[in-house]
Amino acid sequence: MSSQKPEIAIVGAGMGGLTAAATLLRRGFKVQVYEQAERFLRIGAGIQMAANPMKVLRALGLEDRLRQTAFQHRARLHRDYDTGRINSEFDMYSVEQKYGAPHLMMHRGDLHAALLSLLPPDIVHLNKKMKGFTQDADGVTLNFVDGTQARADALVGADGVHSIVRSQLFGNESPNYTGRLAYRATFPAHLLKGVDIGDVATKWWGPDRHIVIYYITAKKDEVYFTTSIPAEKPDLESWSLKGDLGELRAAFKDFHPDVRAVLDACPDTHKWPIYDREPQTSWGRGRVYLLGDACHPMTPYMAQGAASAIEDAAVLARCFEGVDKAGINGAFRQYEATRLPRASKIQSLSHLNKREWMRVDAAAPEAATKEKADPGWVYGYDAWTAPLAKPEMAV
Ligand SMILES: Cc1cc2nc3c(=O)[nH]c(=O)nc-3n(C[C@H](O)[C@H](O)[C@H](O)COP(=O)(O)OP(=O)(O)OC[C@H]3O[C@@H](n4cnc5c(N)ncnc54)[C@H](O)[C@@H]3O)c2cc1C
């Protein structure tokens, strides 16, 4: 292979695609990002960045920016939906000392904007919906819905849970709708009219549903909640599918007054069907591999979906450092061999533990592993220093 660095195309400018673009750019690769959206919208959703992705973001120079804007909560509480009894309290300030980085709560839009700020604007191409690709001995051709094409040496499919790249690689098998919906909203805290949600993230557990509530700004002036409730799959879906406030409030009418106060104050909501997949045995072929939800979509109960995509991005760039020797497929196979076992484990655990992933689930006692009791293997991971799988281990 020539000593010229390969040019890498990334499809999808979500958390995974943007982070991969940033990590690869930092190692001197030429990168182009193709995104189907016409523009980036700040849809009302919060996101937790645990210590493991925060280490990746730190090396990209984003830690100070995120610390200034995001909320760092004192504790994670689990409470009964009706009485409000606190069943568990996990100290979150100790996370930084234990796992080497803070656990921050933020607006997804703030994280997305921070990642976007790392990229030269001319490498992010909006309104470019990919419909397929072909690969040959010399490279990959991307075909877009608008009739245009692009050429690159390698393609990273970071196009989310309904990935076109995945379908073309492995067949058009739909992800599994879990039978549950997430309503999500962010709104100004002053609308709570004095109700204090505290400096904690609280998960309120009902018999068949839950809601998580926390601040997403350092100033505590913006509130976020996300739910998981049983529901039929909506006919339509997108990042901007509106939720009905009446239906949402009715779904939580038996919950504690503190929960109802938050839902009563909420002016607007969106809803997301929750999907996952069984772990895959392969993430790509030849010059085309997947990253993030495209290869390991998971339920949100461990708050590790974007975290895993961000970890993928760091490891991908590390593996591509050896591309001169290993070749493009060799670098990709090393990435897959390094990342697939960990991402699959998190994906499976996230799926199993619909309630509390650190607690033994009575319905699945066989899953009561050591890992469940100690979250250190999740949060303590550092994608910059974790051992890379040996290329010969790659399959
Ligand atoms: C309710 C809920 C709460 C969550 N909370 C957390 C949390 O707290 N912490 C956490 O780490 N994770 C969380 N997650 C998971 C997280 O949102 C996802 O894992 C993460 O967004 C995946 O990033 P991605 O870049 O792989 O995919 P996406 O964010 O889905 O990005 C894919 C991108 O590809 C684009 N695209 C798709 N198809 C095409 C195409 N054909 N051509 C061009 N572009 C295309 C899309 O427009 C999109 O921009 C949560 C998820 C849900 C549903």
Side-chain angles (χ1 to χ4, degrees):
M1 139 145 232
S2 82
S3 60
Q4 205 171 352
K5 289 198 166 198
E7 292 191 25
I8 302 168
I10 297 175
V11 176
M15 302 305 173
L18 291 185
T19 313
T23 57
L24 289 163
L25 271 179
R26 296 225 158 182
R27 277 162 173 74
F29 292 96
K30 281 195 191 151
V31 181
Q32 302 292 331
V33 183
Y34 301 97
E35 164 59 45
Q36 65 183 0
E38 285 173 23
R39 60 187 193 285
F40 296 121
L41 297 171
R42 196 174 187 272
I43 298 285
I47 194 161
Q48 307 189 26
M49 281 290 101
N52 48 319
M54 280 305 300
K55 286 172 219 166
V56 177
L57 300 174
R58 171 184 289 162
L60 292 173
L62 293 181
E63 183 175 0
D64 288 349
R65 173 176 172 154
L66 295 176
R67 273 186 192 271
Q68 275 166 29
T69 52
F71 181 60
Q72 196 166 5
H73 57 313
R74 175 182 62 76
R76 177 164 62 205
L77 303 187
H78 291 261
R79 300 184 67 174
D80 283 343
Y81 75 106
D82 46 0
T83 62
R85 190 179 74 147
I86 297 173
N87 291 314
S88 80
E89 180 161 348
F90 187 78
D91 171 18
M92 295 305 291
Y93 288 161
S94 66
V95 158
E96 186 161 1
Q97 205 186 359
K98 274 194 214 152
Y99 306 124
H103 185 125
L104 300 178
M105 323 296 258
M106 59 196 74
H107 198 292
R108 280 182 74 95
D110 292 343
L111 177 59
H112 194 270
L115 289 168
L116 197 58
S117 75
L118 300 173
L119 308 182
D122 61 342
I123 70 160
V124 182
H125 309 278
L126 296 175
N127 220 351
K128 282 286 171 195
K129 184 177 170 96
M130 201 189 79
K131 65 176 181 188
F133 65 85
T134 52
Q135 56 173 323
D136 53 52
D138 300 323
V140 186
T141 302
L142 289 69
N143 298 303
F144 297 101
V145 167
D146 63 8
T148 59
Q149 291 187 324
R151 183 89 179 149
D153 296 306
L155 168 62
V156 176
D159 50 344
V161 64
H162 299 293
S163 171
I164 295 277
V165 182
R166 184 197 175 282
S167 298
Q168 198 175 327
L169 286 167
F170 299 112
N172 199 10
E173 197 187 302
S174 298
N176 164 43
Y177 174 56
T178 58
R180 305 189 70 85
L181 273 185
Y183 281 86
R184 293 202 270 189
T186 59
F187 61 91
H190 69 78
L191 295 178
L192 287 171
K193 299 203 174 74
V195 174
D196 184 12
I197 62 167
D199 55 355
V200 291
T202 307
K203 205 162 188 174
W204 297 83
W205 289 102
D208 67 348
R209 63 199 61 203
H210 71 248
I211 179 166
V212 187
I213 303 171
Y214 52 84
Y215 289 116
I216 51 168
T217 53
K219 288 194 238 159
K220 298 206 283 186
D221 58 2
E222 208 169 355
V223 182
Y224 167 63
F225 67 79
T226 176
T227 74
S228 170
I229 63 168
E232 296 289 316
K233 188 174 154 191
D235 295 339
L236 279 171
E237 83 178 67
S238 79
W239 270 85
S240 48
L241 187 62
K242 286 276 184 185
D244 183 294
L245 278 175
E247 281 175 22
L248 170 63
R249 289 174 187 146
F252 289 91
K253 67 178 175 12
D254 298 329
F255 273 57
H256 191 276
D258 286 2
V259 174
R260 284 188 278 120
V262 169
L263 297 181
D264 286 346
C266 166
D268 192 20
T269 179
H270 289 85
K271 60 184 178 186
W272 280 260
I274 299 178
Y275 290 102
D276 68 0
R277 279 187 198 280
E278 291 295 315
Q280 297 190 195
T281 52
S282 172
W283 286 358
R285 291 203 184 113
R287 296 168 174 271
V288 182
Y289 273 70
L290 305 171
L291 179 147
D293 275 11
C295 47
H296 48 67
M298 58 183 80
T299 58
Y301 310 127
M302 282 173 74
Q304 283 289 322
S308 297
I310 289 170
E311 289 181 357
D312 290 346
V315 171
L316 180 71
R318 289 175 64 202
C319 294
F320 262 78
E321 274 182 340
V323 74
D324 279 354
K325 272 197 186 156
I328 287 173
N329 183 251
F332 269 138
R333 284 190 299 132
Q334 185 179 35
Y335 152 75
E336 176 190 87
T338 307
R339 290 295 304 153
L340 193 145
R342 174 175 165 84
S344 302
K345 189 163 153 185
I346 293 178
Q347 200 182 359
S348 301
L349 210 50
S350 225
H351 176 80
L352 265 185
N353 292 279
K354 291 190 168 134
R355 288 175 68 86
E356 161 62 291
W357 70 274
M358 279 186 291
R359 201 173 62 189
V360 177
D361 185 343
E366 74 281 6
T369 58
K370 182 171 161 285
E371 287 89 343
K372 287 182 74 175
D374 175 9
W377 69 275
V378 178
Y379 301 144
Y381 182 86
D382 184 345
W384 296 117
T385 56
L388 297 179
K390 298 229 165 46
E392 60 268 24
M393 280 171 60
V395 283

